[in-house]
């Protein structure tokens, strides 16, 4: 049983749990972990794989054999990821150029959702550039988004001033000229989460339909082990968990991300979160309560 998890502590816990269930596991080391998504979703290159939340939504939209194991591998605030090097602010996005690694990148979906919902930005009035395709075969950029020339890099275009704004999380370059486009971004993000009832989720865990049907006990054991690690490491004092676990704990983030994704032409149809819950539970032969539903 092949597992792809970016965090060493999560990988070790899942490997041990799967092995104890009598299934021999193998950790597949792919860094950064999002590069494993395409092979997992389209070709079942792994059995259990860390995935961006939007990749899960697109996989369902395109009928891929991918199920949601409701575990958050990466959660974080996102407002600070809209950056610029000029005196421009979020009020200047319309009519300006904005670069994002991929249209389906989850960080980009969250930020564009904030732009429309909180700041009234018409996304089609900005000049959007993407640098990579989608993880899910069959998904395409909207007609109003352009692809950068082959070989171009977002960080280079941003630092050289070829794009006015960039949406960048982990790939943000180190440069003293860079600043957040949203004033007091961290405070705004905290208030957004208080209003919504959750912190944005980036990465969850996907499981193939074949693995769920063939090794349900091992998959459930992996879930329990991941839950144990994440629950133990939650910081006291947070209004909401940074790494929510369980179907109900993830409902808010998934529902909001799905609404944003539909609005932005990332997915072609509305995705009902309960459809994800039902598919996973049916494949594993359990009730939603078994997975925090």
């Amino acid at each position: 049983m092949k597992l792809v998890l970016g965090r060493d502590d999560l990988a070790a816990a899942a490997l041990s749990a799967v092995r104890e269930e009598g299934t021999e596991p193998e950790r597949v080391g792919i860094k950064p972990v999002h590069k494993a998504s395409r092979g997992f979703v389209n070709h079942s290159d792994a059995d259990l794989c860390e995935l961006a939340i939007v990749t899960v939504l697109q996989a369902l939209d395109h009928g891929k054999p991918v199920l949601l194991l409701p575990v958050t591998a990466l959660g974080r605030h996102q407002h600070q990821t809209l950056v610029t090097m000029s005196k421009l602010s979020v009020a200047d996005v319309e009519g300006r150029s904005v670069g994002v690694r991929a249209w389906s990148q989850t960080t980009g979906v969250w930020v564009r959702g904030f732009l429309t919902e909180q700041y009234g930005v018409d996304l089609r009035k900005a000049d959007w550039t993407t640098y990579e395709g989608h993880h899910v075969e069959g998904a395409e950029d909207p007609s109003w988004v352009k692809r950068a020339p082959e070989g171009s890099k977002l960080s280079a275009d941003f630092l050289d001033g070829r794009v006015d704004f960039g949406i960048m999380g982990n790939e943000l370059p180190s440069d003293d000229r860079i600043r957040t486009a949203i004033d007091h971004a961290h405070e705004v993000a905290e208030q957004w989460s208080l209003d919504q009832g959750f912190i944005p989720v980036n990465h969850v865990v996907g499981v193939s339909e074949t693995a769920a049907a063939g090794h349900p006990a091992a998959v459930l054991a992996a879930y329990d082990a991941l839950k144990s690690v994440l629950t133990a490491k939650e910081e006291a004092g947070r209004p909401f968990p940074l790494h929510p676990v369980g179907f109900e704990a993830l409902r808010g983030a998934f529902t909001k991300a799905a609404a944003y994704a539909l609005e932005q032409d990332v997915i072609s149809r509305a995705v009902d979160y309960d459809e994800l819950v039902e598919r996973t539970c049916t494949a594993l032969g359990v009730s939603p309560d078994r997975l925090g539903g």
Side-chain angles (χ1 to χ4, degrees):
M1 186 172 177
K2 294 182 177 180
L3 286 69
V4 183
L5 292 164
R7 283 175 49 174
D8 291 340
D9 57 344
L10 295 181
L15 289 168
S16 177
V18 169
R19 187 175 289 112
E20 288 179 7
E21 279 298 326
T23 300
E24 187 56 36
E26 174 191 352
R27 184 184 185 185
V28 181
I30 299 178
K31 295 183 179 181
V33 72
H34 72 79
K35 290 187 177 297
S37 301
R38 187 171 285 106
F40 170 72
V41 170
N42 301 302
H43 307 294
S44 299
D45 287 350
D47 299 294
L48 186 146
C49 184
E50 183 174 331
L51 289 179
I53 191 171
V54 174
T55 302
V56 176
L57 294 171
Q58 282 194 320
L60 180 63
D61 185 26
H62 288 269
K64 302 297 184 181
V66 173
L67 306 172
L68 169 65
L69 200 63
V71 175
T72 301
L74 174 63
R76 70 176 180 212
H77 292 300
Q78 302 283 9
H79 287 72
Q80 75 283 356
T81 63
L82 179 66
V83 294
T84 185
M85 292 199 303
S86 67
K87 294 181 179 180
L88 299 174
S89 75
V90 66
D92 301 304
V93 169
E94 289 187 10
R96 299 284 182 168
S97 55
V98 191
V100 61
R101 177 171 58 80
W103 192 247
S104 56
Q105 183 184 13
T106 297
T107 295
V109 171
W110 283 120
V111 171
R112 292 192 300 268
F114 305 151
L115 289 176
T116 58
E117 191 171 66
Q118 294 182 275
Y119 300 98
V121 173
D122 184 343
L123 298 178
R124 288 162 176 77
K125 291 183 179 179
D127 180 15
W128 293 95
T129 300
T130 61
Y131 293 77
E132 295 180 13
H134 302 254
H135 291 145
V136 179
E137 290 178 356
E140 297 181 355
D141 288 355
S143 60
W144 42 279
V145 173
K146 71 178 182 182
R147 182 66 56 83
E150 187 72 26
S152 299
K153 299 293 184 183
L154 171 57
S155 57
D157 281 358
F158 176 70
L159 292 174
D160 292 343
R162 287 187 288 274
V163 293
D164 299 309
F165 296 92
I167 299 176
M168 289 180 278
N170 294 336
E171 67 269 36
L172 182 69
S174 178
D175 191 303
D176 291 340
R177 297 173 295 170
I178 298 173
R179 62 183 188 81
T180 57
I182 296 174
D183 289 337
H184 309 293
H186 289 283
E187 290 86 348
V188 172
E190 292 280 0
Q191 186 59 55
W192 184 90
S193 287
L194 288 172
D195 293 341
Q196 297 293 329
F198 60 86
I199 293 172
V201 170
N202 261 43
H203 289 185
V204 290
V205 176
V207 59
S208 71
E209 289 184 348
T210 300
H215 305 282
V219 172
L220 292 169
Y223 167 82
D224 292 338
L226 295 171
K227 177 181 178 180
S228 179
V229 172
L230 292 168
T231 302
K233 292 191 175 182
E234 276 297 340
E235 297 178 19
R238 283 186 179 275
F240 311 106
L242 186 60
H243 296 92
V245 178
F247 282 127
E248 281 308 307
L250 278 165
R251 181 177 292 275
F254 255 96
T255 301
K256 194 70 170 181
Y260 284 165
L262 181 63
E263 173 184 273
Q264 298 165 23
D265 293 341
V266 176
I267 54 177
S268 63
R269 66 175 178 90
V271 172
D272 183 347
Y273 183 63
D274 287 321
E275 183 180 351
L276 284 165
V277 175
E278 181 180 357
R279 290 179 72 246
T280 298
C281 292
T282 298
L284 290 171
V286 297
S287 68
D289 289 346
R290 174 62 179 85
L291 295 167

